Amino acid sequence: QSCPPTRPDMLNVHLVPHTHDDVGWLKTVDQYYYGVRNRDQHAGVQYILDSVVAQLAVAPERRFVYAEVAFLARWWGQQDEDTRRLVNTCVQEGRLEFVGGGWCMSDEAGAHYAGGTTGRSWGFGDPCDPPVTPDPQMGYDGLFLGRVDHQDKRARLQRRELELLWRGSTSLEPPRADIFTGILPNVYDPPSGLCWDQLCSDPPVVDGDGPERNVDAVVTSFLRAAATQAEQYRTNHILMTMGSDFHYENAHLWFKNLDKLIAHANARVGTVPKPPHSVPNPLTTDARVSPRPLKTDDFFPYSDGPHQFWSGYFSSRPALKGYERLSGGFLQVCSQLEALAGPSAQDGPYGPGDSSVLRQAVAVAQHHDAVAGTERQHVADDYARQLALGWDRCQVLVANALSLLGGTKEPFVFCNALNVSVCPLSEAAAQFTVLLYNPLARAVAWPVRLPVSGSAYAVSDPQGRPVASQVVPVSRVTRWLRGGTGAAPGELLFQAWAPPVGFSAFAVTRLSPGGQRDTPTGTSGDTEPWLENEVWGHQGTSGDIRGQGCGDTRRGPGGAPQLWGGVTVCHHVLLSVTTCHCCHRVSPLSPLSPCPQNALVQELHQEFSPWCSQVLRLRPGQPYLELEWTVGPIPVGDKLGKEVISRFETPLRTAGRFFTDSNGRQVLERRRDFRPTWNLTQTEPVAGNYYPVNTRIFIRDQQVQLTVLTDRSQGGSSITDGSLELMVHRRLLKDDGRGLAEALNEPGADGRGLVVRGWHRVLLGTAATAPDQHRPLAQEMVTPPHVVLAAGTGPHLRQVSALRRALPPNVHLLSLEPRGAGRVLLRMEHLFERGEST
């Protein structure tokens, strides 16, 4: 109701003043806000907000849209009451509108929907709606895109299909998930010659009578731009974005010239109606009336030229991507315990705890130059710093909550470097307690692996019953990784478990201080390494593994499983797993060597080179093969950048089709060298077939499905039939020419290059039942159980659960967090898509 009236018989031009304020890119969040390091980029967001609000107060017809609530919240806390009242008035009158509804403009490819939920609920969005594809259920009126593939845009221009209906879900009855979507003509910039920011060089509107008068030419240029743009759309409504990156630091320049443009254009003979300062609402409302082409896929991969695909960033900065995913999972642990323990968790025996610091850091990390990995190195370091501060404050809160719930005041210890086998308490203590907290709404079993100095330990469960355990040597690669930060010679292994939304406590006592430890074992007389459980099996020195996807196992003669094929249920699929493929192969496939082989775990270690290795790991009853990959520092002594992939090869006949998830939730079918909405001319057979993989990628035929789950967002594809690949690391020596002016050459802790360790879970089963496996296991990787240690005997209550019984397997607990005195916010969702599970 706050926008000027439109005319159905004329062209309606909507001028949308805006600024695009990156929450980190060339500069950190603080540097952008305060205007520091302007030699890198002139930008000071505090001055933008000062100036915009002041100019909105000058004339009530002026409008402005803003997206980055992370900046606005900081600015708001520094304002006096008069300024706050003015902002409230502008919002209530529709003169200032917040678009996106989130803490920042999140990335479309690398963000998981759980993190996106955090970002939107911490902004001004409705906290009850998860951000999958923006749709009317979330309160969105429409969606406008700045960047789509250059071939896609050219085809849409020819067909006048720059406006469409985007159906975000096939699980909802149309039109519940349909949203009006517009593709902007100039990304998000103003038309040529009409940029009046202090960062622009276009001349101002001169409407005096002197020799510099240009107002007639400016209005003519504007009308021509409007007419040209109108030819590309089917309705009599067009949108012009009047602003760009960090514009409006001197908002007076923009608004004064816009006021002149509107006045003089309106004075022209009835060519167009008065161009209103506008926000997109009336545009989307009117434009949705006429029929639009329907789109059900997404806009990936994107390219702005024949050989310029923006698909490498799906895997850029893998360490930051992994840290962001871990932080989102720990935030769920922190928020749940804060809700369960109540306000006392914020000020308990271990000091003041606060979940908001991590919540803000996770929300910022969703930014399209944060988790995306497209920022400069010092900015990536600052994102990690913010997350680390959030972890510190949340760990105090978690300790307070566990103390209150478990009835103890003994100190809790958080071992943040277990991925490289470092934990001072478990290495030194003769007795300690392991608490496993489970944020999922179903019981979980979880393998615990702790660095220890002893050779034998006794472990007991919450009821005091003995738990099988084993001490195995720390691997050579792990010893190299941790350097001098830890010295434990062995790792204690045992299988723990925890109830839904609760914890279990396990007592650990050292029986032997040191000496001989378990060594790799195998069947007597074996000449080849092996590993095998009920589902997977391997024997030999190559990388080939036979997966036995046995649901209802049918046995052949002599009790042997039937070979894969036909209509058998127990199928053997030969799977070749290699990790160090890159643009220049570093070595032939490395032979597998045996390591721990005992009742708790079987491992095969594979080293391709000194900087690339992986561990294949199986446990009894485990339905997936676990791959632990360690890559880096990638050598660049030959002056060549490299991208490292993990490839999975099978004999499955996949006909060029594979499947990836969309932000961790829905699954989309991909076809090699194909786009559903235009005829693709493929110019890059690898980069042009890479898609974002947030949690899973799979291939299948009529019977069998091979699924790979990831512990962070990565890029993935199926370049040849029957194969999958995921890019796990990349190191480049040249900038991509898209504004960063810095190569993706991460130095790592010692300056020699980044080393990254991560995990894949490989699943094999029937295509019909695969979702019953990969859906819950993917959620388990996104919000994994968390291990906390306590010196001595630990809490008096050895097992606590917030639920009387587990939720049904199709219901996922998305979040449980406090919302004020005596209130909690509970989000639950259906875990499966329509038709995935019975």
Side-chain angles (χ1 to χ4, degrees), residues 109-129:
H112 188 273
Y113 76 92
T117 301
T118 299
R120 280 168 173 78
S121 64
W122 202 239
F124 286 141
D126 185 341
C128 295
D129 288 325

Side-chain angles (χ1 to χ4, degrees), residues 489-779:
E491 291 178 315
L492 172 67
L493 314 180
F494 67 93
Q495 190 81 353
W497 58 89
V501 192
F503 67 83
S504 295
F506 295 80
V508 180
T509 303
R510 187 168 60 200
L511 301 178
S512 175
Q516 182 67 34
R517 288 174 179 80
D518 295 328
T519 57
T521 60
T523 304
S524 177
D526 282 349
T527 59
E528 296 181 327
W530 57 268
L531 80 171
E532 185 177 29
N533 71 358
E534 300 86 343
V535 181
W536 294 90
H538 169 274
Q539 185 165 0
T541 57
S542 72
D544 293 340
I545 303 154
R546 291 189 180 274
Q548 303 171 185
C550 304
D552 175 22
T553 304
R554 298 179 185 177
R555 298 286 174 176
Q562 294 177 351
L563 294 178
W564 164 73
V567 294
T568 57
V569 178
C570 186
H571 29 265
H572 286 235
V573 176
L574 189 66
L575 169 66
S576 179
V577 184
T578 57
T579 295
C580 266
H581 281 283
C582 59
C583 51
H584 300 278
R585 185 184 294 271
V586 296
S587 69
L589 185 63
S590 171
L592 294 153
S593 59
C595 270
Q597 307 280 329
N598 52 58
L600 295 179
V601 68
Q602 303 169 45
E603 294 182 359
L604 294 177
H605 292 218
Q606 189 174 24
E607 293 191 27
F608 299 88
S609 74
W611 57 271
C612 184
S613 63
Q614 69 181 3
V615 178
L616 290 73
R617 188 173 288 129
L618 278 179
R619 299 178 184 89
Q622 180 175 286
Y624 55 86
L625 173 69
E626 180 179 293
L627 297 180
E628 177 187 277
W629 48 268
T630 305
V631 179
I634 298 175
V636 290
D638 55 3
K639 307 301 181 183
L640 294 173
K642 298 172 182 64
E643 296 171 321
V644 181
I645 67 168
S646 183
R647 178 175 292 159
F648 305 80
E649 296 178 336
T650 76
L652 297 179
R653 297 179 179 179
T654 54
R657 287 174 167 81
F658 60 105
F659 301 80
T660 67
D661 67 321
S662 175
N663 301 110
R665 205 161 194 262
Q666 295 173 210
V667 171
L668 296 176
E669 181 185 271
R670 312 297 193 180
R671 290 175 60 185
R672 191 165 56 251
D673 299 332
F674 176 81
R675 304 292 187 267
T677 54
W678 84 90
N679 294 323
L680 172 69
T681 299
Q682 184 60 275
T683 54
E684 287 288 344
V686 176
N689 284 305
Y690 254 69
Y691 291 86
V693 177
N694 300 106
T695 60
R696 79 209 74 187
I697 180 172
F698 60 83
I699 52 175
R700 67 188 183 196
D701 60 12
Q702 296 298 316
Q703 296 175 315
V704 182
Q705 177 167 317
L706 177 75
T707 307
V708 182
L709 307 180
T710 67
D711 66 343
R712 69 201 71 199
S713 290
Q714 297 175 328
S717 186
S718 175
I719 302 300
T720 59
D721 280 358
S723 75
L724 287 181
E725 63 182 60
L726 289 158
M727 188 180 295
V728 298
H729 200 354
R730 61 199 305 249
R731 187 180 186 183
L732 309 177
L733 302 181
K734 295 183 179 180
D735 175 58
D736 62 5
R738 294 299 181 272
L740 194 67
E742 180 180 285
L744 182 65
N745 186 8
E746 298 184 86
D750 58 4
R752 296 185 300 170
L754 180 69
V755 182
V756 185
R757 170 169 283 181
W759 289 265
H760 290 146
R761 288 181 174 181
V762 186
L763 294 162
L764 182 69
T766 62
T769 61
D772 291 309
Q773 283 193 321
H774 70 69
R775 284 285 181 184
L777 286 174
Q779 290 293 353

